[in-house]
Amino acid sequence: MILSASDIGLLISSTLTYAAPLIIAGMGSIMSETSGVVNIGIEGQMTIGAFTCAAVSVLTGSPWIGLLGGALAGAFFGCLHALASITFKADQTISGIAINLLAPGASIYFCKAIFTGSTQTRPVELSGKLPVVLGKLFPAESFLNYTLKNYVSVYFCILLAVFIWFLLFKTRLGLRIRSVGEHPRAAATLGISVFRVRYFCVILSGILAALGGAVIPLSTVSYFFPSIISGQGFIAIAAVIFGKFKPKNTVLACLLFGFCKSLSLTLGNPKFGFSVSTHLLNMIPYIITLLVLLFIGRSHAPAASGKIYDPAGG
């Protein structure tokens, strides 16, 4: 198989497209983990974000109002996780599992209620999808046009990763977040409100996870359906672990998973002459996820990650 320049450009472009939701959700996971709260509810939060965004975009015709709706839904489920795991000191893993069960159920319930019993939304009109940028900057058949012409979500996720890195490692707030995630009791003795910092990070985590899901019906597919996320939330969490809880490494891990997804679609293209089952090709990103986690070695989470903080000292 010989790939032309346009094929390589499309492969790179689709890699970026499929990696964008993972990067956005991964940044959310980093925020929560860095503050010391495990959030495995990313999958459910991506699902509710995808549904809310698709439904609002269909009803209003605006992708931006749709994204706002998705972000608010993610903030709500982030609040639920924060309330359970921080205020009521519930097990963070169990709380995350509950989010993963509750959010998809709520998505299907409201989808049926709004779209006359269907578990799928109506398709998002072309005017309701995210804009494609850099489409007129280069000649139509050039390599750069195939590579860089993409949805605005691709460039947003790159800027977001830079912002999260800057926030965590170059600002006073980032220092407070990291101190709360490593030694919450020591941070509290310096006057830092552990509860307030963790609430901020967990709610922001929910918002970003929901936005990660929200960009999917506005870019790669045009409507919501129950299996739209299909494990991408767990892949985003795996990317964060693979990336050792650092934004730059997580972006690289997400690009790897995005490349695997893009490669599976490329190999499934009849013009390349492969006769591989599409079911096997769709398994590639998940197989890579398992292999990466097997061979990455030990990844050190923040010291207080997953541990309940009790200001009374219990």
Side-chain angles (χ1 to χ4, degrees), residues 64-89:
W64 310 116
I65 299 177
L67 289 172
L68 176 62
L72 291 175
F76 174 75
F77 278 90
C79 280
L80 287 183
H81 186 47
L83 192 66
S85 59
I86 299 173
T87 300
F88 293 105
K89 303 178 178 57

Side-chain angles (χ1 to χ4, degrees), residues 26-79:
M27 292 303 110
S29 179
I30 285 178
M31 288 301 298
S32 183
E33 294 278 357
T34 305
S35 73
V37 179
V38 174
N39 182 9
I40 65 167
I42 296 290
E43 177 85 4
Q45 290 163 341
M46 288 184 75
T47 304
I48 193 70
F51 161 69
T52 308
C53 180
V56 174
S57 296
V58 166
L59 297 174
T60 66
S62 169
W64 310 116
I65 299 177
L67 289 172
L68 176 62
L72 291 175
F76 174 75
F77 278 90
C79 280

Side-chain angles (χ1 to χ4, degrees), residues 72-307:
L72 291 175
F76 174 75
F77 278 90
C79 280
L80 287 183
H81 186 47
L83 192 66
S85 59
I86 299 173
T87 300
F88 293 105
K89 303 178 178 57
D91 186 286
Q92 296 171 10
T93 302
I94 301 299
S95 175
I97 292 174
I99 296 292
N100 284 335
L101 295 174
L102 179 61
S107 300
I108 295 174
Y109 174 81
F110 287 111
C111 191
K112 284 186 172 182
I114 297 173
F115 297 98
T116 59
S118 175
T119 58
Q120 301 178 359
T121 64
R122 293 200 304 271
V124 178
E125 298 289 340
L126 188 60
S127 60
K129 301 194 74 171
L130 290 174
V132 174
V133 295
L134 304 184
K136 298 180 180 178
L137 201 59
F138 306 101
E141 300 299 324
S142 67
F143 172 76
L144 288 177
N145 184 60
Y146 283 117
T147 305
L148 299 178
K149 177 184 174 183
N150 219 316
Y151 291 101
V152 70
S153 55
V154 168
Y155 299 97
F156 168 75
C157 76
I158 295 171
L159 294 175
L160 175 67
V162 173
F163 172 75
I164 294 295
W165 168 81
F166 185 81
L167 173 68
L168 290 178
F169 298 100
K170 298 295 179 182
T171 67
R172 180 177 297 179
L173 175 59
L175 180 62
R176 292 186 174 191
I177 292 171
R178 288 186 286 130
S179 66
V180 164
E182 293 289 345
H183 303 286
R185 199 165 301 285
T189 61
L190 296 175
I192 299 174
S193 173
V194 176
F195 279 13
R196 191 176 300 171
V197 170
R198 286 188 169 181
Y199 257 91
F200 167 75
C201 291
V202 174
I203 293 173
L204 182 59
S205 173
I207 292 173
L208 293 178
L211 287 177
V215 300
I216 296 175
L218 298 184
S219 56
T220 53
V221 296
S222 298
Y223 60 96
F224 168 84
F225 51 95
S227 60
I228 187 171
I229 299 302
S230 188
Q232 292 187 71
F234 296 119
I235 291 179
I237 295 173
V240 172
I241 298 172
F242 178 33
K244 299 183 183 298
F245 303 90
K246 300 291 189 297
K248 183 183 74 174
N249 297 341
T250 299
V251 169
L252 294 176
C254 291
L255 288 173
L256 172 64
F257 294 129
F259 173 74
C260 293
K261 177 68 175 177
S262 180
L263 184 64
S264 67
L265 296 177
T266 301
L267 294 177
N269 191 328
K271 83 172 188 179
F272 295 117
F274 287 98
S275 57
V276 184
S277 167
T278 55
H279 299 294
L280 291 176
L281 292 175
N282 289 334
M283 291 170 61
I284 290 178
Y286 307 103
I287 294 173
I288 294 297
T289 301
L290 287 174
L291 291 176
V292 164
L293 290 178
L294 283 174
F295 293 104
I296 184 179
R298 189 175 177 82
S299 181
H300 296 281
S305 181
K307 297 178 181 177

